[in-house]
Amino acid sequence: MMDRRLISNFNVWYLLLILVIAGIGVITIHSANHTRMEAFFRGLYLKQIYWILIGLVTLFVAVAVDYRVWSRYAWAIYAAMVLALAYVLFFGSVASGAQRWIQIGPLTLQVSEFAKYALIIILAKYFEEAKPQGHKYGLKDLVVPFLLTALLGGLIALQPDLGTALIVFFIFFVFVVASEIEFKTLLRLGASILILAPLTWFLMKDYQKQRVMTLFNPELDPLGAGYHTIQSKIAVGSGGFWGKGLYAGTQSRLNFLPEKHTDFIFSVYAEEMGFLGVMLLLTLFLVLVLKGLNIAYRAADRFGVFLGLGIVAGISFHVIFNIGMTVGLFPVTGLPLPLMSYGGSSLVTTFFALGLLLNIEMRRNVL
């Protein structure tokens, strides 16, 4: 039985906030596809509800199990994710030119979504235990966490899934900044990233390079690589201040907007709900993130601090890059909008991660 003190510390309001954002996602998915003739697309909102229910189960599992247990099995979880990502490269399902999924019975899972949180757990464990005695972190203290990150990030990039790979490295950088690192070490690390970043251009596939080029000028390829960005910006801009109204978005209803239930769900929402609706949604995400940061800051132990920080960083970067992608600030990378985009892997892992945050808060005054 769970300690009654833990139950009394359960944050119902935070759970309601999560469900409100997920509910907005369901409504937007239904709105984006309600005029389509294909039964598959018209039924996506029902499938999203099923995924939310599964997500709630995983959330309550994360709440019920002491979050420190994940520290105990961190290396095993990390090893399992490495093997799973390697399996995907050889035997994974292929869709839209990418090999990112594995088929388990009727379920299709995107392993990189699970690997992202496996990395957060292993990095939280490392920074919990590897604090040097009497001095701050130097470059040599970051070799192990960098290699752990590079291995997962490299396997994800090979799928190819450059967007999630970038998120993985951003999470690592957040851990580095949050740790007690020497300032000169941080400067050296930042300078190294700036120097090495241009080299990634030579590692990109041709279609990825085209997406970067069309970021600055979508008209270079208006019917190809620039099409997504152009149509998304039209949808967001046409929403105006009040929006066109639910189920009245022309870009989505007339199927000009691609991937409207996944990558570009924000564009659908912005067109229909307008500036006011966007501000409401951004406020909800901001509250979700700020409360998460507060939970991490007030955690009872060092592992809880880093675990909470990594979870908030992962969700925050997804929100920033997805919305930035839809308004033309970032290249099209296929990153979902947390809790809103259609997709079981993203939704379930996000619910699980938020359950860990609730767990950290519940045990703050009990440990």
Side-chain angles (χ1 to χ4, degrees), residues 94-116:
V94 179
S96 302
Q99 192 165 338
R100 305 174 185 173
W101 300 269
I102 57 174
Q103 194 78 30
I104 302 178
L107 301 178
T108 303
L109 302 178
Q110 186 173 344
V111 180
S112 59
E113 288 292 336
F114 298 86
K116 184 172 54 185

Side-chain angles (χ1 to χ4, degrees), residues 266-294:
F266 178 80
S267 306
V268 178
Y269 177 85
E271 182 181 24
E272 297 184 350
M273 296 293 103
F275 177 78
L276 285 180
V278 167
M279 291 306 298
L280 171 62
L281 181 63
L282 292 180
T283 300
L284 293 175
F285 274 120
L286 182 62
V287 174
L288 185 81
V289 168
L290 291 179
K291 177 59 180 175
L293 287 174
N294 180 260

Side-chain angles (χ1 to χ4, degrees), residues 25 123 163 168 209 224 240 258 265 280 354:
L123 290 182
V168 162
K209 293 179 179 179
I265 192 168
L280 171 62
L354 291 169

Side-chain angles (χ1 to χ4, degrees), residues 75 122-123 125-149 172 175-177 179-186 188-189 302 306:
W75 286 103
I122 195 68
L123 290 182
K125 180 179 179 63
Y126 176 85
F127 284 103
E128 173 199 21
E129 297 179 344
K131 182 179 179 182
Q133 295 295 322
H135 66 279
K136 295 184 178 181
Y137 284 97
L139 277 178
K140 67 179 184 300
D141 302 304
L142 301 179
V143 172
V144 172
F146 174 77
L147 291 176
L148 292 171
T149 303
F172 164 73
F175 271 90
V176 171
V177 173
S179 64
E180 296 175 17
I181 188 173
E182 295 174 344
F183 183 68
K184 63 180 181 180
T185 300
L186 187 60
R188 290 173 182 169
L189 188 62
R302 191 172 173 83
F306 280 106

Side-chain angles (χ1 to χ4, degrees), residues 223-238:
L223 298 179
Y227 181 80
H228 293 66
T229 301
I230 292 171
Q231 297 301 325
S232 177
K233 290 168 72 174
I234 290 173
V236 173
S238 65

